Amino acid sequence: MDNSPIGVFDSGVGGLSVFSELIKLLPDENYIYFGDTLNLPYGNKSVEELVNITSDIFDFFKSKNVKAVVMACNTTSALTYDILKNKYNFKIYPVVQNVSKQIADKNYKKIGVFATLATINSHAYKKEITSYNPSVAVYEYACPKWVNIVENKLMDEPESVENIKTNLDVMMKNNVEKIILGCTHYPYLLKVLTRFEKEELFINPASYFAQSIAADLKSDDMLSLTKNFDPVFYVSSNPEKFISASKLFYDVKSAQKIEISKSSEKILHVF
Ligand code: DGL
């Protein structure tokens, strides 16, 4: 048993799609959510920038004495987890690495991945999935506009719908059986995506992810028994905008703005 909190982070509201699945399976945990709205979007940033950002966030969670950090963010899981994974004494759960086996085990022949530019360029999903099942063909496609569409609640704008449909049409030319929504923000667009394709086509990795985290904490006897559900939300800028965009996955009532960045000299420190 371990009553220390679990940290969950993402660049903004996207990680709430993971948080909302996590709390269904682990309602007795203490949660600290950090939405890095100041640095959003992560998907266009370099590895160096993302390592600095992630290590600032890990240091923040360390100061909160967390037992585990959930890297809800696909982009940082793909680009910074391997670099930082041994530098902290809490458990670290990266989304891409934690869900790929379960997806590979389904034996699909052709899988699509929609994700940020940085995640797609890293080929993290393709590498992970084919490491478990080399016979799957993985088609990766970046959707750089989608994070801003979600954060700014622009999903019903004709321009957004057109962009979403165009990306979907390109992907569907590959005759994929499933499409992984490989960015936590993308499940917020299901209402638009399902105007053109059936909901069953899309994989929101969040439920696989929550299952693997719950199983791991349980097997290591690290579950909390506090029964005192009271998550705390922090953001690095504009709490009002975060609260307003949150509603689809979790109705955040209040969020506190904090400054955690120490950055610039860290590039030298990390590499
Ligand atoms: N939602 C994050 C992800 O899963 C990051 C998106 C972004 O900020 O570009 O990749």
Side-chain angles (χ1 to χ4, degrees):
M1 188 186 106
D2 187 340
N3 292 338
S4 319
I6 297 175
V8 181
F9 81 92
D10 190 44
S11 59
V13 291
L16 295 171
S17 61
V18 171
F19 175 74
S20 64
E21 290 297 323
L22 209 49
I23 62 178
K24 283 185 203 162
L25 298 182
L26 300 173
D28 297 330
E29 298 292 331
N30 296 302
Y31 293 95
I32 301 172
Y33 185 97
F34 180 68
D36 194 6
T37 43
L38 184 68
N39 290 310
L40 176 130
Y42 283 177
N44 307 332
K45 291 192 160 45
S46 67
V47 179
E48 287 84 354
E49 287 172 301
L50 291 168
V51 167
N52 282 339
I53 287 169
T54 310
S55 61
D56 283 340
I57 295 170
F58 284 173
D59 288 346
F60 163 68
F61 282 132
K62 188 174 161 194
S63 76
K64 298 284 180 190
N65 291 318
V66 297
K67 63 182 171 192
V69 170
V70 175
M71 298 179 83
C73 174
N74 293 260
T75 307
T76 51
S77 300
L79 285 112
T80 71
Y81 170 71
D82 280 341
I83 297 168
L84 296 173
K85 65 184 174 194
N86 297 320
K87 294 187 185 290
Y88 294 85
N89 62 359
F90 42 72
K91 278 180 173 282
I92 303 174
Y93 297 110
V95 59
V96 178
Q97 294 83 341
N98 271 263
V99 302
S100 290
K101 182 174 186 323
Q102 293 170 77
I103 295 171
D105 284 351
K106 300 279 180 203
N107 277 318
Y108 302 120
K109 298 272 173 288
K110 291 181 170 195
I111 302 181
V113 181
F114 282 147
T116 64
L117 203 55
T119 303
I120 294 302
N121 287 341
S122 77
H123 302 294
Y125 268 107
K126 189 176 197 156
K127 284 181 196 157
E128 287 289 328
I129 292 172
T130 55
S131 77
Y132 296 110
N133 186 347
S135 67
V136 193
V138 181
Y139 300 87
E140 303 168 298
Y141 198 72
C143 308
K145 296 197 171 152
W146 290 12
V147 168
N148 279 328
I149 291 176
V150 170
E151 289 285 338
N152 296 303
K153 297 199 294 179
L154 301 173
M155 37 283 242
D156 295 321
E157 296 297 315
E159 221 178 280
S160 308
V161 175
E162 186 55 35
N163 180 273
I164 292 163
K165 185 176 182 325
T166 304
N167 287 354
L168 192 53
D169 287 346
V170 173
M171 177 61 87
M172 292 314 289
K173 292 209 170 85
N174 301 305
N175 293 319
V176 291
E177 297 156 79
K178 294 280 173 186
I179 299 175
I180 299 171
L181 300 177
C183 167
T184 51
H185 285 77
Y186 298 177
Y188 284 79
L189 299 175
L190 274 167
K191 216 176 108 199
V192 182
L193 289 163
T194 54
R195 276 162 65 177
F196 308 109
E197 297 291 341
K198 289 203 176 70
E199 184 150 11
E200 299 76 64
L201 176 68
F202 302 100
I203 297 176
N204 173 1
S207 61
Y208 289 126
F209 192 25
Q211 282 166 29
S212 81
I213 294 166
D216 187 72
L217 286 175
K218 189 166 181 218
S219 81
D220 284 355
D221 196 20
M222 284 177 67
L223 294 175
S224 160
L225 299 172
T226 52
K227 302 207 182 302
N228 181 24
F229 184 72
D230 188 17
V232 182
F233 297 90
Y234 294 100
V235 290
S236 45
S237 84
N238 210 335
E240 295 76 23
K241 188 174 171 198
F242 176 84
I243 290 168
S244 151
S246 74
K247 305 301 173 200
L248 203 55
F249 280 100
Y250 189 80
D251 189 9
V252 175
K253 298 276 189 264
S254 72
Q256 208 176 309
K257 183 179 160 191
I258 45 158
E259 165 67 60
I260 64 161
S261 169
K262 309 189 231 47
S263 287
S264 53
E265 79 281 8
K266 272 211 175 158
I267 294 178
L268 289 173
H269 168 73
V270 169
F271 290 97

